[in-house]
Amino acid sequence: MKESEVPQDKSSLKENDIKELCYAVNDDGEYVTALSSGWETKTIVQEATLSQIEERIREAKQQVSDGIYSPIVYFMEVNRMDMQTLCAYVSMWKWRVKRHFKPSVYNKLNDKVLQRYADAFGITVVELKAFTGKE
Amino acid sequence: MIVDFKHHQSAHCENGVASNLLINQGLPISEPMAFGLGSGLFYVYLPFVKVNHAPAISYRPLPGLIFNRLAKRLGLKVKRIKFSNRVKAQQVLEQKIAEGIPCGLQVGVYHLPYFPEEYRFHFNAHNLVVYGKEGDNFLVSDPVMEITTTLTPAELERVRFAQGAFAPKGQIYYPIELPQSIDWEVAIRKAIKKTCTDMLAPVPIVGVKGMRMVARAIVKWPKKVGVPKANHYLAQMVRMQEEIGTGGGGFRFIYAAFLQEAGNKIGNTRLIDLSKEMTTIGDSWRDFAVNAARVYKKRKNGEDVYIALSKELMSLADREEQFFKKLKRAI
């Protein structure tokens, strides 16, 4: 990549006034550093990822509302976690967390266990309990 | 308590921290030098590990390896401490700063408040330097940011004790013993040899063989998991390639910069010629990213576009195989 070809596209970086450093070749063939405000290709895949996350959140919300899953599934998606990450944050085995996905099991959980989930999601137990997926 | 610390922005966090820490200790090592001597260029395809619901491809070795290898080749010692106690983790960090030692920290990205939304994922192998404390807040030099920032003790604790894969466990590290003299020729030769061995490794998921495996998988994805998911896989591949630590083109350019610097340092003109070749390979990686993102954006695609992408990646693998064979002979 030549120094003059370093992309200066519109991106989330630009909105946040952040620039990224890259390495490029100057006219004398020497490597120099240059700042980039963003690259369209990257923006496309970032937007793809974000829209996919939103899709998953919407789906989870619907499933909570329909009584298929407990609110834990919804907040897991909101916090962009996968199973492994959530298990690590609440320090529970996977099978236990999976059981808590069932509304019938979830409804019987005590506040001590719910607190662990609330801490992982950065919310209060009251907020966790209040979520029904319906608005 | 503020330690005198000069912040330099870098393209990749781990090289950046390594280079920043060493420069501040009086050992001027540029980012490309840190990357090259740490044998940072790598490729591994892990189809059985899912990251963001897509197969994982990593363009770098395990977190911490770049700095450790760099330290080994330069003959310096690095102290690493992990913690199980959060209070103690903070105390030790404060004590080190009071002693005038800036510390490298492994942190999780998701809770970093100064990162834009698009970059915040549960990725736990980010690196930054803490070099002081002002009032209650910690002074932070994040190598991928243009300027230094601050974090509150609560924020810092949260990112240091992020959970999940590669959980940082509050890890801090700092160089404790600097070498008297450095044999650059030996260091550079060993580092390049290691990268060549890695990229040419006779393991199906590693190096150029790993690239070929991905290339074959790209053709199969639409049939195996359906077009929407195949496109999602492609998008995630490009994201891992060009965003998280700039793995594809970005890394090739840093490596080319290293070859140029190394060639000048030890007077090996073949390295400088190979640096040019690496630059053109890096350009092709970027073209590949552009094409893959285009396939994603178009959404509806025939089979031929996946075959075309696969061929592009195959030719990248072929070129890199030739390249690393030449590089092995050049030193």
Side-chain angles (χ1 to χ4, degrees):
Chain A
M1 187 166 60
K2 292 207 179 73
E3 200 182 356
S4 54
E5 291 166 358
V6 172
Q8 305 295 345
D9 302 341
K10 214 168 115 2
S11 74
S12 64
L13 289 178
K14 208 167 196 171
E15 284 156 28
N16 288 283
D17 205 22
I18 299 172
K19 277 192 178 153
E20 205 178 39
L21 187 118
C22 0
Y23 286 81
V25 183
N26 71 8
D27 293 336
D28 302 325
E30 286 160 0
Y31 260 96
V32 288
T33 60
L35 291 175
S36 160
S37 69
W39 186 29
E40 199 200 339
T41 300
K42 234 162 86 167
T43 309
I44 292 173
V45 291
Q46 281 175 342
E47 279 168 5
T49 312
L50 287 190
S51 74
Q52 201 236 358
I53 290 169
E54 271 164 35
E55 179 58 39
R56 291 182 73 93
I57 293 173
R58 232 190 341 265
E59 213 173 284
K61 193 175 172 185
Q62 189 59 43
Q63 283 164 335
V64 175
S65 164
D66 294 347
I68 301 170
Y69 284 132
S70 73
I72 291 172
V73 176
Y74 169 79
F75 284 108
M76 178 174 101
E77 293 297 345
V78 169
N79 283 279
R80 301 180 180 179
M81 289 176 172
D82 55 15
M83 201 61 189
Q84 188 198 4
T85 313
L86 177 60
C87 292
Y89 268 99
V90 294
S91 9
M92 285 184 223
W93 295 102
K94 191 175 159 189
W95 62 267
R96 204 171 157 203
V97 172
K98 241 180 177 167
R99 234 168 73 81
H100 296 164
F101 283 2
K102 286 188 198 161
S104 55
V105 178
Y106 169 80
N107 288 333
K108 284 182 208 148
L109 290 180
N110 61 32
D111 278 9
K112 219 173 135 194
V113 176
L114 288 178
Q115 186 65 51
R116 274 154 89 170
Y117 282 106
D119 287 345
F121 300 140
I123 53 174
T124 62
V125 174
V126 180
E127 282 172 291
L128 181 60
K129 277 181 172 171
F131 184 80
T132 57
K134 299 178 183 108
E135 258 152 292
Chain B
M1 335 176 248
I2 300 178
V3 183
D4 187 29
F5 188 82
K6 201 153 168 7
H7 171 80
H8 301 270
Q9 195 184 3
S10 66
H12 176 66
C13 64
E14 194 171 337
N15 323 323
V17 165
S19 150
N20 274 341
L21 282 178
L22 293 178
I23 290 173
N24 281 278
Q25 295 265 344
L27 187 64
I29 299 272
S30 68
E31 187 196 355
M33 210 44 163
F35 181 71
L37 288 182
S39 306
L41 200 69
F42 194 58
Y43 191 95
V44 62
Y45 175 47
L46 302 166
F48 39 83
V49 178
K50 294 282 189 285
V51 176
N52 290 311
H53 317 282
I57 302 171
S58 179
Y59 297 81
R60 55 180 266 184
L62 285 172
L65 258 187
I66 297 181
F67 199 12
N68 281 354
R69 285 175 180 163
L70 171 71
K72 201 171 130 195
R73 304 233 159 91
L74 293 180
L76 57 92
K77 278 196 182 128
V78 181
K79 175 97 177 151
R80 287 180 184 271
I81 317 173
K82 283 186 184 179
F83 300 91
S84 51
N85 183 322
R86 295 178 181 222
V87 180
K88 203 173 168 217
Q90 198 106 312
Q91 278 170 357
V92 172
L93 177 62
E94 278 177 16
Q95 191 196 330
K96 287 295 156 210
I97 300 167
E99 284 171 23
I101 304 169
C103 292
L105 269 71
Q106 190 190 331
V107 297
V109 170
Y110 185 73
H111 291 107
L112 278 180
Y114 53 81
F115 260 38
E117 178 84 337
E118 285 82 349
Y119 287 77
R120 290 175 60 186
F121 288 94
H122 292 277
F123 172 70
N124 288 332
H126 187 60
N127 292 274
L128 48 79
V129 175
V130 171
Y131 65 97
K133 205 175 174 191
E134 210 172 44
D136 273 343
N137 293 345
F138 287 95
L139 303 175
V140 171
S141 148
D142 189 320
V144 300
M145 306 292 285
E146 258 181 291
I147 48 164
T148 55
T149 46
T150 59
L151 286 175
T152 66
E155 283 167 345
L156 191 66
E157 190 188 294
R158 194 135 211 221
V159 294
R160 288 180 76 187
F161 286 92
Q163 300 292 325
F166 303 126
K169 300 202 174 81
Q171 182 168 173
I172 65 170
Y173 54 92
Y174 48 90
I176 43 172
E177 219 181 274
L178 292 185
Q180 298 295 329
S181 64
I182 296 167
D183 189 341
W184 289 101
E185 204 160 336
V186 172
I188 289 168
R189 183 162 15 100
K190 281 191 173 161
I192 291 179
K193 276 253 158 74
K194 174 74 187 150
T195 301
C196 294
T197 327
D198 279 351
M199 295 304 280
L200 300 170
V203 182
I205 55 169
V206 174
V208 292
K209 282 189 179 251
M211 293 174 203
R212 293 200 179 110
M213 198 168 170
V214 174
R216 284 191 300 270
I218 288 176
V219 186
K220 286 183 209 146
W221 283 342
K223 274 174 258 168
K224 212 171 148 192
V225 293
V227 170
K229 218 168 177 188
N231 287 351
H232 168 68
Y233 284 4
L234 279 181
Q236 291 310 312
M237 182 184 76
V238 176
R239 238 190 87 233
M240 286 184 268
Q241 187 180 314
E242 299 298 335
E243 178 191 310
I244 309 171
T246 56
F251 269 11
R252 278 12 181 225
F253 297 140
I254 305 177
Y255 202 72
F258 158 71
L259 289 177
Q260 193 173 63
E261 200 183 322
N264 286 327
K265 197 154 204 146
I266 60 169
N268 187 336
T269 50
R270 288 168 79 187
L271 292 185
I272 296 168
D273 291 338
L274 284 166
S275 158
K276 285 178 198 141
E277 192 179 334
M278 182 96 276
T279 307
T280 60
I281 293 176
D283 287 332
S284 303
W285 272 99
R286 283 175 77 87
D287 294 340
F288 174 64
V290 169
N291 292 333
R294 211 169 274 158
V295 169
Y296 170 80
K297 213 179 176 186
K298 247 181 94 194
R299 276 162 209 281
K300 276 184 191 141
N301 294 295
E303 213 172 282
D304 51 323
V305 291
Y306 297 100
I307 293 170
L309 272 183
S310 165
K311 272 192 186 142
E312 212 178 330
L313 189 54
M314 278 291 184
S315 98
L316 274 171
D318 292 343
R319 279 167 72 188
E320 293 213 337
E321 187 175 9
Q322 291 307 315
F323 176 86
F324 286 108
K325 278 183 177 162
K326 267 188 265 175
L327 184 59
K328 215 172 177 177
R329 283 195 297 269
I331 46 157

